[in-house]
């Protein structure tokens, strides 16, 4: 790179090095990203700058920083949108994927359709099928019929063409879509086709995922032996490839539930412990990923702010030079100029102080929310154990053999050992640390609220959705919706236009 004479080449090589370092040495990668940025800006070439933004977007995409990825793809596209479609094809495809991942499906579909038209002129059925599959996924949350149309269109385009992985994706997408539509038999048909396409002896995480989906389907339909068979296959594959993943946790969950229905409590207990172990690991990894994402975004935003300040400083130096020439003529001008700069520095120091205070407050609030989140996770875990204990006690009453009763008692003792009876007290204690006056103000206006009512108020204050509250409290969404209706009556909020969460936010 030292032998490179042009800023264009320096920027390109710096980004290649940054891409290679991004996974193992992020700080060094950032150094080369900054070098590439300086060279791109120095080149005064819009193409060089666009290529730099495109490369940055690809690096942050690997880091799952979706907002930063989209921001840089958009910057690159400002240049390439006026170039021939052949030159912007890959960038448009990446941009459409970024829009889909950030759930901006309208913009994603608009770009996908442009790409589809271009591939149609090139007569490339594989590319057409891939784009059609992407369009189908973008439509899935908006219109299932449109989604089915594009998935089937992909299959027609691939007729007679060997492309097993893409066909596997299309079949699994069709199966998932039919599951959404509650057409289980059709979904089962496409899951079978997906397995046949990838090959049942070709052991990989995709096959494990399909077996896991199959097991959920059979458990839902009450076919316990089939549910156990496919979930065991899924767990066996995923244990060897990706043990601590959501799909493996789901497969283990199906397995222990199926064993409970079959009254095989020994295997149910073993798989329940495994489910908790995977869940705990996933919770830790999820928190790590979120913290890492926040750090990446803060680093990126801070770098932008520093660059803006540096540009402002350069402009300021230019103005100072002009003023310096003027003050040579007038001593009064020099005095006024210095006084003006002094005021600016004072204002800047005040702004920096306020900014630091805001940052400290934001960090404190984030830590408190993490503590509350931990309390919620423990609550869900405790309530799940209590539900299982209740079911086991009912099973024990029906069991005739003493060996079975002893086995159930052993499981109950182990589960009780992990149950925390004071979890809501912990939650409310942590909640009060963040929102000190909430309960006081709420009880002053509504003294008749029960502890459960206040608990629901606290969860709504945290802006949790009905589905999230149901998960935390271990209830169905319908039960939570009913509780919300009762709470509105107690709070005397009869106007349907008044939002419950907004009303509660006024109490502190």
């Amino acid at each position: 790179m030292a032998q490179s004479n042009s800023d264009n080449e320096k920027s390109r090589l710096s980004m290649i090095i940054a891409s290679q370092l991004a996974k193992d040495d992020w700080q060094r990668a950032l150094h080369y990203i900054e070098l590439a940025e300086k060279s791109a800006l120095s080149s005064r070439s819009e193409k060089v700058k666009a290529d730099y933004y495109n490369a940055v977007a690809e690096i942050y995409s690997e880091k799952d920083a979706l907002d930063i990825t989209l921001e840089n793809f958009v910057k690159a596209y400002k240049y390439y949108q006026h170039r021939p479609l052949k030159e912007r094809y890959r960038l448009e495809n990446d941009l459409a994927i970024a829009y889909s991942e950030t759930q901006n499906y309208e913009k994603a579909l608009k770009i996908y359709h442009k790409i589809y038209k271009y591939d149609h002129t090139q007569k490339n059925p594989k590319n057409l099928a891939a784009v059609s599959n992407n369009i189908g996924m973008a439509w899935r949350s908006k219109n299932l019929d449109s989604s089915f149309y594009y998935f089937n269109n992909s299959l027609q385009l691939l007729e007679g063409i060997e492309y097993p992985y893409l066909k596997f994706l299309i079949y699994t997408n069709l199966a998932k879509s039919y599951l959404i539509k509650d057409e289980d038999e059709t979904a089962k048909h496409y899951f079978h086709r997906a397995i046949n396409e990838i090959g049942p002896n070709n052991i990989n995480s995709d096959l494990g995922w399909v077996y896991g989906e199959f097991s959920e389907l059979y458990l839902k339909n009450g076919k316990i032996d089939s549910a156990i068979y496919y979930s065991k296959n899924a767990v066996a594959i995923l244990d060897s490839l990706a043990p601590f993943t959501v799909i493996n946790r789901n497969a283990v969950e199906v397995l222990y539930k199926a064993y409970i229905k079959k009254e095989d409590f020994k295997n149910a207990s073993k798989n329940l412990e495994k489910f908790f172990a995977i869940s705990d690991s996933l919770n830790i990894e999820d928190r790590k990923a979120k913290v890492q994402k926040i750090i990446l975004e803060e680093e990126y935003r801070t770098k932008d702010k520093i660059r803006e300040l540096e540009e402002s400083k350069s402009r300021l130096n230019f103005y100072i030079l002009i003023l310096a020439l003027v003050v040579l003529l007038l001593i009064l001008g020099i005095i006024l100029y210095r006084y003006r700069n002094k005021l600016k520095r004072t204002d800047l120091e005040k702004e920096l102080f306020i900014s630091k205070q805001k940052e400290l407050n934001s960090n404190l609030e984030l830590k408190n929310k993490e503590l509350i989140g931990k309390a919620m996770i423990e609550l869900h875990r405790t309530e799940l154990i209590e539900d299982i204990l209740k079911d086991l006690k009912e099973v024990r009453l029906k069991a005739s053999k003493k060996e079975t009763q002893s086995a159930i008692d052993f499981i109950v003792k182990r589960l009780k050992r992990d149950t925390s009876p004071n979890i809501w007290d912990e939650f409310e204690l942590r909640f009060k640390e963040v929102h000190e006056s909430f309960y006081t103000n709420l009880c002053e206006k509504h003294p008749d609220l029960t502890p459960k009512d206040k608990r629901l108020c606290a969860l709504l204050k945290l802006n949790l959705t009905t589905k999230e509250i149901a998960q935390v409290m271990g209830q169905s969404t319908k039960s939570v919706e009913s509780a919300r209706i009762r709470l509105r009556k107690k709070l005397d909020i009869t106007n349907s236009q008044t939002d419950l969460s907004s009303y509660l936010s006024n109490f502190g």
Side-chain angles (χ1 to χ4, degrees):
M1 194 171 75
Q3 297 177 353
S4 302
N5 295 322
S6 68
D7 288 319
N8 179 6
E9 190 67 4
K10 287 179 182 178
S11 178
R12 187 183 68 82
L13 292 175
S14 294
M15 287 310 300
I16 291 173
I17 296 170
S19 179
Q20 293 171 348
L21 293 170
K23 187 175 181 180
D24 300 318
D25 193 341
W26 179 242
Q27 291 306 315
R28 285 187 66 201
L30 279 178
H31 168 72
Y32 281 99
I33 289 173
E34 290 174 2
L35 286 178
E37 182 183 24
K38 289 178 181 177
S39 298
L41 294 174
S42 298
S43 71
R44 300 186 182 279
S45 166
E46 292 302 315
K47 183 181 185 306
V48 173
K49 286 190 280 188
D51 290 341
Y52 160 77
Y53 291 133
N54 186 54
V56 169
E58 290 177 351
I59 289 176
Y60 277 100
S61 176
E62 292 294 323
K63 294 285 183 182
D64 204 30
L66 301 180
D67 291 337
I68 299 174
T69 300
L70 179 59
E71 182 180 327
N72 281 279
F73 275 140
V74 169
K75 286 180 180 178
Y77 192 63
K78 285 181 181 178
Y79 168 78
Y80 274 101
Q81 65 182 335
H82 304 299
R83 307 298 300 167
L85 190 55
K86 184 178 181 180
E87 293 183 27
R88 67 177 191 265
Y89 175 87
R90 180 179 173 182
L91 174 58
E92 284 195 334
N93 190 61
D94 291 339
L95 182 58
I97 292 171
Y99 275 130
S100 290
E101 288 176 338
T102 53
Q103 297 183 354
N104 195 333
Y105 297 117
E106 292 291 340
K107 291 185 177 180
L109 286 168
K110 185 177 179 181
I111 297 174
Y112 276 138
H113 283 297
K114 287 169 64 178
I115 297 170
Y116 187 88
K117 287 180 181 178
Y118 173 76
D119 281 329
H120 190 73
T121 62
Q122 300 301 303
K123 297 181 180 179
N124 189 329
K126 288 186 177 181
N127 286 354
L128 274 172
V131 176
S132 185
N133 179 58
N134 288 338
I135 294 173
M137 287 191 291
W139 272 112
R140 187 154 55 195
S141 63
K142 294 166 63 65
N143 187 311
L144 272 178
D145 289 336
S146 296
S147 186
F148 287 132
Y149 169 81
Y150 284 102
F151 290 145
N152 288 314
N153 182 54
S154 297
L155 291 176
Q156 289 177 6
L157 289 164
L158 291 175
E159 196 169 333
I161 297 175
E162 279 295 314
Y163 204 161
Y165 184 71
L166 181 55
K167 287 182 179 179
F168 165 79
L169 290 177
I170 298 167
Y171 288 139
T172 53
N173 282 331
L174 278 165
K176 288 166 70 177
S177 299
Y178 278 112
L179 281 177
I180 295 170
K181 205 175 179 182
D182 288 329
E183 293 186 15
D184 296 344
E185 288 301 317
T186 309
K188 192 190 302 183
H189 165 74
Y190 281 107
F191 276 134
H192 274 301
R193 295 195 69 174
I195 292 173
N196 291 335
E197 195 63 43
I198 203 169
N201 298 321
N202 185 10
I203 305 302
N204 57 44
S205 58
D206 290 326
L207 184 62
W209 175 82
V210 174
Y211 280 145
E213 292 287 336
F214 248 144
S215 66
E216 287 187 27
L217 191 60
Y218 280 120
L219 183 64
K220 173 185 170 185
N221 293 330
K223 297 180 179 179
I224 307 304
D225 290 334
S226 296
I228 291 172
Y229 172 79
Y230 281 104
S231 57
K232 283 178 72 174
N233 283 343
V235 171
I237 292 170
L238 295 168
D239 274 349
S240 64
L241 299 174
F244 295 101
T245 56
V246 173
I247 55 176
N248 197 26
R249 183 192 65 185
N250 293 343
V252 173
E253 184 179 10
V254 171
L255 193 55
Y256 88 73
K257 286 181 177 179
Y259 277 129
I260 288 175
K261 287 185 179 293
K262 199 176 182 181
E263 298 186 0
D264 185 347
F265 301 111
K266 182 178 179 181
N267 281 319
S269 175
K270 183 174 70 172
N271 284 282
L272 181 60
E273 287 184 357
K274 186 173 184 178
F275 170 80
F276 285 142
I278 297 173
S279 295
D280 290 341
S281 176
L282 283 173
N283 288 331
I284 292 170
E285 291 301 317
D286 184 56
R287 287 196 292 272
K288 283 183 180 178
K290 286 180 179 177
V291 170
Q292 184 63 31
K293 186 177 178 181
I294 290 170
I295 291 171
L296 283 173
E297 290 176 347
E298 285 300 315
E299 282 179 345
Y300 183 82
R301 303 302 175 200
T302 301
K303 188 184 75 169
D304 271 357
K305 289 176 182 176
I306 291 171
R307 185 176 66 248
E308 289 173 7
L309 287 172
E310 287 176 348
E311 290 173 358
S312 298
K313 186 178 178 181
S314 297
R315 289 194 296 269
L316 183 61
N317 289 336
F318 178 73
Y319 297 144
I320 290 172
L321 179 61
I322 295 174
L323 288 172
L325 294 174
V326 174
V327 297
L328 289 174
L329 303 174
L330 297 168
I331 295 175
L332 181 60
I334 295 174
I335 296 171
L336 291 172
Y337 169 73
R338 288 179 178 176
Y339 180 68
R340 184 184 175 189
N341 275 359
K342 185 177 180 181
L343 288 176
K344 284 186 177 180
R345 283 197 298 272
T346 303
D347 291 340
L348 184 58
E349 287 172 357
K350 288 180 181 178
E351 289 175 4
L352 288 172
F353 176 76
I354 293 170
S355 177
K356 286 181 180 178
Q357 284 296 112
K358 287 182 179 179
E359 185 178 353
L360 288 172
N361 292 335
S362 177
N363 289 337
L364 178 60
E365 185 178 351
L366 178 63
K367 289 178 181 178
N368 288 335
K369 284 183 178 178
E370 287 177 354
L371 290 173
I372 293 170
K374 183 178 180 182
M376 288 181 179
I377 293 168
E378 290 300 321
L379 170 67
H380 191 191
R381 182 175 179 270
T382 301
E383 291 187 349
L384 178 62
I385 292 175
E386 288 175 352
D387 288 341
I388 294 172
L389 284 171
K390 184 178 177 182
D391 293 340
L392 287 174
K393 286 178 182 177
E394 292 178 0
V395 173
R396 188 184 185 283
L397 292 174
K398 297 177 182 178
S400 58
K401 294 183 180 179
K402 289 186 178 180
E403 292 82 357
T404 304
Q405 293 176 349
S406 299
I408 293 172
D409 289 339
F410 175 71
I411 295 170
V412 168
K413 285 180 183 179
R414 295 193 66 182
L415 291 173
K416 281 184 176 179
R417 188 178 58 200
D418 293 333
T419 305
S420 174
N422 300 318
I423 192 65
W424 276 113
D425 293 339
E426 283 184 38
F427 166 75
E428 289 182 353
L429 180 63
R430 296 182 183 277
F431 180 82
K432 287 176 182 177
E433 289 176 0
V434 182
H435 305 281
E436 298 176 3
S437 60
F438 178 77
Y439 279 134
T440 303
N441 296 336
L442 181 64
C443 291
E444 282 181 5
K445 189 166 182 180
H446 303 285
D448 297 331
L449 293 177
T450 66
K452 284 188 176 180
D453 291 334
K454 291 192 284 186
R455 187 182 306 164
L456 178 57
C457 289
L459 295 173
L460 289 167
K461 167 69 177 174
L462 294 174
N463 289 323
L464 297 183
T465 64
T466 299
K467 184 178 180 182
E468 290 168 338
I469 292 173
Q471 291 173 347
V472 169
M473 299 184 76
Q475 298 178 354
S476 67
T477 54
K478 288 186 178 179
S479 298
V480 175
E481 286 171 356
S482 299
R484 285 176 67 125
I485 293 170
R486 291 193 297 272
L487 181 60
R488 289 180 72 93
K489 290 180 180 178
K490 286 189 178 182
L491 297 178
D492 197 23
I493 309 173
T494 55
N495 188 347
S496 60
Q497 293 181 349
T498 302
D499 182 68
L500 185 55
S501 297
S502 300
Y503 176 77
L504 292 170
S505 67
N506 296 323
F507 289 99

